[in-house]
Every structure is written in structure tokens, then in C-alpha cells.
Amino acid sequence: MVGLPFRTYLAVIGALLVACFLALSLSGCSNIASADDSAPFPSDRVATVRITMPQASWEKCLDNPYAQEYVQADFEIDGQKLISVGVRSKGNSSLNQAVAWNSPRMPLAVDFNLFNRARTLNGVKKVFLNNGWSDPTLIREKLAYDIFTEMGMPAPRSCLVDLWVNNNHLGVYTMTEMIDITFLKRHFPNPSGNLYKPDVMSALLDWTEDDLENQRIRRARFQTPEPNAELNVNLGGGRLLDILRALGEENSVASYTPGTPVPKEAGLQYINYRDYVHAMNLKTNLDRPDYSALFRFLQIINKEPDEVYYREIEEVLDVDGTLLFFAISGAILHLDNYNSIGHNTHFYEVNGKFYVIPWDTNMAFGTFNAGIRKNGLINFYVDEPVAGPLNRYPLLNRLLAHPPYMEKYRNYVRQLIEGPFSPSVMEKKIDKLAAMVAPYAARDKHYF
């Protein structure tokens, strides 16, 4: 708050108090918790999800899908209900498809934590409801996540749901947990590290701190102040502006400028221009960002000679997990991540070491072809599991050039095709999921 005009300071404090009052007043609502690791992601059925909100709020979402602004709603899954959660549209290509078809079948984000930071659904703070826009089978995303999980990788839990918004039946979606601090607590002994979700500018990890400094020098003359910066303060459940907008109270803050675009997330990474480090999209520790481990990691994988690289790489990278990630991604043709244009991969750094986390598998099994023709997908190279020249992918290139790592990588491929990805196992999984989905898909009027 330092440096804010006094009137703005008072307005922000007032809004904070309003938000705190709302959180307290809602704290009597059920905070569902469960020791069941599968809850709320059942694997044996299609769960029914009902979202209810004032019709005007739903029409606001439909009329302004690209605004991706939260509205208040109630959420229910198989009879378990949470009152007053945040719901908004989400996505890029999947949202564009719904808009292009003039369809209400938008992908949605549901934030259980927005208005009350103590509220979760079985310990989960936020889920995404993905609309299957590129998947006529409706099961690709869950199938792919399950394979990562069965091979021992930290991967989001997911399930199939039949979604209703008010009285509108939107059809079969995939519900997936968000990768956040809650996810990190489930998978890592120390969840206090840096979580990144890089955008395309930085996602191939083919840059260093020196490249960043040169980029900043070139772009310095274009830097402009961030609009409404004080409204990006995070209250624990979400940004102040998101909460105020969902309540229709944004104009109660004197510094709010109607119509001014505001970043989707809080933190230093969203300013009017983007550089390499900001495009890494740090998701945690936003109040005290420390990129020193990132810069060391990038220096080692991009610049250090082999005698240094092979001595230090295991200090800064979970080599086994990375090789496993690429073995699975290549086998299931999940090309909408690092091994293509780079995005849709999370990196978690703790104590100076980076771990790879898969994300956004809805276009696995060759749906996103990265410009590769059908024959190229069918004959995708096992030893070059990327969608371009291997030397464009520094995270993987030098690993596979080292015979011991190449052998370990090939062993993971063998384990995969003899285990979770074997024809006999896959046929059973596909038949089971298809049988679950079929009766719901038959009633789906908004099916793409």
C-alpha cells in the first residue's frame, strides 16, 4: 500500500474489510474434506455437476466470454454442495470454439476459495471444467492423465462429469484439479518452492540471464506502468479485483478505472510488456520472487560445456522424472506441451532442483499434430520425441545425447508399452470409459 494516494488507500482498506466480512459470513457453509485420494474425482462413474447462479450472471458469462470475469454461483457434485464460489469462462482454443459455434458449452474455471479462503472441495481449491472441444471421444484428457499417474509422475487428478448450469444441460466435461500449492502439498515433501507455467516466449527454456538482460535493454523504452496495480493484491482466496467484480462492487474502489484491462493473475509477471522471466509465469511466492535457481538451471542446460553439464545437471533437474515425462509424452503423442511449441508444461523448483509436471492433455493421442502429417504421427521417432529438430529443445537434447540417460529413457518407454500403454491394458481402459460416457453423450445437445 506504500505510495498510494490516501483516498485510494482508504478505499482499498474498505474493500478488504468488505471481503473479510463476506468470508466470515460465508464460513458457516460446509468445507468438504476427505481422506479419500480419489475424491472429488471418481473413476467409476460420470459425476453430475450442477452450477447455479442468477440467470443474469450466466448471461453475462455468455455475452462476454473473453472477459473471463468471475461471477458468484453455487456448486454441487453428486449431492455435495458448496455455496458462493467463483465461476468464470477460461481457455484459448477451447473457448474460441464455443464462441465460434455460438455454443453455451464454454470451458469453465471454478474457484471454491475465492470468497472464503478456508473453503475447499475435498481439499481442492480450484478445478477446471474442460469442454472436450477437440475430442469427439470425450475421454482423451482423463486417459492421458491416468497414464502419467500410473507411471509414477505427479499429475492432476481428473474425472468425467455431466455438467448443468442452471437448467442448461451442457453435457460431458472433464473436471481437472488445478496445479497449485494444494497439488504441491500432495506430491512434494516441500511445497514452498517456485511453480512456473511458461508462455511460448520462454517455454523452450532456450535462454539465459544474459539474454534476459539484453532483452530488457532493448525493450526499456516501451515499459509503462501497470494499470490498477493495487487491485491485484491477493487476499488469500483470490485477487481483490476478482472478488469485487464478482460482487459487482469494483466501482467502490476510487482507483478503479472502468474498462481498463487488468491482468488475469496477481504478481510481477503481468505488466504491459513481457520479457523472458515474466513469461515464465511464476505462480507461487509472488510476494518475494527469487529467480536465482532458474537462472542457474538455464545457464547449465544452455551454456555449460559437457564436463560441467553432466557433473551438475542432476543437482538442478529431476533427470529421471524428466526422461519419464518425455517417454510418456512421446508414446501418447501429447505434443501440446514442451516437446512442441513449449507451453502447457509446469515446472516446479524447490531447493534449486526442477521437476516437470504434465498439463492440458486434452489434445493427446495426436489431436494436436504440431504440423506433423499423419504418417509422421504414426511413425513418431522414439529417440527424438519432439516436434522439430532436437537441438531446439535444450531440456531434452543433451540428456538424450548421454548414453546412460538414453538407456534410462528407453527403459521407461519399454515399461510404458509393456504396462499402462500396452494394447491389452489400453483396450480395457478405453472400453470402460467409453461405456461410462456413451449414455451421457447420447443426450448431449451441445456436443462439438
Side-chain angles (χ1 to χ4, degrees):
M1 301 286 182
V2 176
L4 293 180
F6 185 69
R7 185 178 68 170
T8 300
Y9 178 84
L10 290 179
V12 172
I13 291 296
L16 286 169
L17 291 173
V18 169
C20 290
F21 172 78
L22 286 167
L24 289 172
S25 67
L26 294 169
S27 62
C29 301
S30 172
N31 295 322
I32 300 172
S34 172
D36 181 3
D37 191 55
S38 66
F41 302 96
S43 60
D44 60 345
R45 66 187 184 279
V46 176
T48 298
V49 169
R50 294 183 180 274
I51 295 173
T52 56
M53 66 180 75
Q55 187 60 27
S57 297
W58 179 233
E59 290 173 1
K60 176 183 176 181
C61 294
L62 294 174
D63 292 342
N64 302 281
Y66 294 119
Q68 299 192 11
E69 293 182 10
Y70 282 105
V71 296
Q72 272 188 299
D74 298 337
F75 178 93
E76 181 178 341
I77 178 169
D78 282 352
Q80 294 182 327
K81 190 170 185 179
L82 286 179
I83 305 296
S84 192
V85 304
V87 176
R88 65 169 174 84
S89 56
K90 64 168 285 287
N92 293 307
S93 299
S94 55
L95 182 58
N96 290 338
Q97 181 81 349
V99 173
W101 282 48
N102 194 28
S103 170
R105 192 187 176 100
M106 294 186 299
L108 300 173
V110 182
D111 192 332
F112 307 114
N113 202 231
L114 184 64
F115 299 110
N116 180 353
R117 63 183 300 179
R119 181 187 293 110
T120 67
L121 178 67
N122 301 85
V124 177
K125 294 180 179 180
K126 188 173 184 177
V127 296
F128 296 117
L129 294 165
N130 298 321
N131 63 357
W133 74 278
S134 61
D135 179 12
T137 74
L138 298 172
I139 65 174
R140 276 183 169 89
E141 185 170 14
K142 175 170 175 52
L143 196 60
Y145 278 138
D146 285 353
I147 291 171
F148 278 108
T149 299
E150 289 163 15
M151 287 294 291
M153 286 212 71
R157 292 172 295 172
S158 64
C159 68
L160 299 168
V161 303
D162 191 39
L163 179 62
W164 294 74
V165 176
N166 294 341
N167 292 320
N168 304 296
H169 182 219
L170 300 190
V172 178
Y173 279 57
T174 304
M175 186 173 81
T176 304
E177 70 176 318
M178 182 181 183
I179 296 177
D180 59 5
I181 186 69
T182 304
F183 176 92
L184 297 176
K185 287 178 179 178
R186 291 183 59 246
H187 291 281
F188 296 93
N190 184 350
S192 63
N194 286 343
L195 178 66
Y196 297 95
K197 184 180 181 292
D199 279 346
V200 173
M201 178 190 293
S202 299
L204 292 183
L205 308 178
D206 55 353
W207 56 280
T208 65
E209 187 176 10
D210 288 341
D211 296 321
L212 171 67
E213 292 306 313
N214 290 333
Q215 184 186 56
R216 285 178 168 173
I217 291 171
R218 293 194 304 270
R219 295 188 174 190
R221 66 181 185 275
F222 299 114
Q223 185 173 359
T224 57
E226 179 185 347
N228 296 335
E230 63 271 19
L231 295 179
N232 286 329
V233 61
N234 193 300
L235 303 184
R239 286 187 317 152
L240 172 60
L241 182 58
D242 286 333
I243 295 172
L244 291 173
R245 277 180 165 169
L247 297 172
E249 296 290 339
E250 64 267 30
N251 290 313
S252 66
V253 178
S255 64
Y256 176 68
T257 304
T260 302
V262 178
K264 296 178 186 176
E265 307 276 356
L268 295 175
Q269 72 272 29
Y270 283 94
I271 54 180
N272 280 8
Y273 75 94
R274 304 286 293 274
D275 62 27
Y276 287 126
V277 77
H278 297 129
M280 284 296 293
N281 281 340
L282 180 65
K283 299 294 185 181
T284 56
N285 301 315
L286 295 174
D287 57 338
R288 54 185 188 283
D290 180 356
Y291 299 108
S292 56
L294 173 65
F295 294 146
R296 180 178 181 231
F297 172 63
L298 293 170
Q299 180 69 24
I300 290 172
I301 68 172
N302 285 290
K303 296 297 184 181
E304 297 295 355
D306 285 352
E307 59 268 22
V308 176
Y309 174 86
Y310 291 114
R311 185 174 68 243
E312 298 185 353
I313 187 60
E314 294 196 24
E315 297 176 9
V316 298
L317 177 66
D318 172 26
V319 171
D320 284 3
T322 302
L323 294 172
L324 177 58
F325 171 81
F326 285 110
I328 300 170
S329 294
I332 68 173
L333 285 175
H334 177 29
L335 302 182
D336 194 21
N337 66 12
Y338 178 87
N339 57 6
S340 176
I341 60 176
H343 71 163
N344 284 338
T345 306
H346 286 75
F347 295 93
Y348 179 57
E349 177 268 313
V350 60
N351 297 326
K353 194 166 187 174
F354 282 77
Y355 300 81
V356 186
I357 302 172
W359 182 244
D360 207 4
T361 60
N362 66 305
M363 300 187 77
F365 306 102
T367 307
F368 182 79
N369 62 19
I372 302 173
R373 294 181 183 273
K374 183 176 180 179
N375 285 340
L377 294 175
I378 293 171
N379 299 290
F380 196 68
Y381 292 156
V382 172
D383 287 353
E384 296 182 20
V386 290
L390 190 56
N391 61 12
R392 290 179 49 207
Y393 303 88
L395 181 64
L396 184 62
N397 184 32
R398 296 177 81 177
L399 291 178
L400 295 188
H402 189 46
Y405 290 158
M406 173 62 89
E407 183 58 29
K408 183 170 290 187
Y409 163 80
R410 288 174 173 171
N411 283 336
Y412 282 138
V413 174
R414 291 189 192 98
Q415 292 174 30
L416 181 65
I417 61 178
E418 293 172 0
F421 199 55
S422 65
S424 60
V425 173
M426 284 296 291
E427 286 174 3
K428 290 178 182 177
K429 290 178 182 176
I430 292 169
D431 287 347
K432 176 185 175 181
L433 291 173
M436 285 168 47
V437 165
Y440 294 91
R443 300 192 294 268
D444 194 340
K445 297 180 180 178
H446 299 292
Y447 186 47
F448 290 129

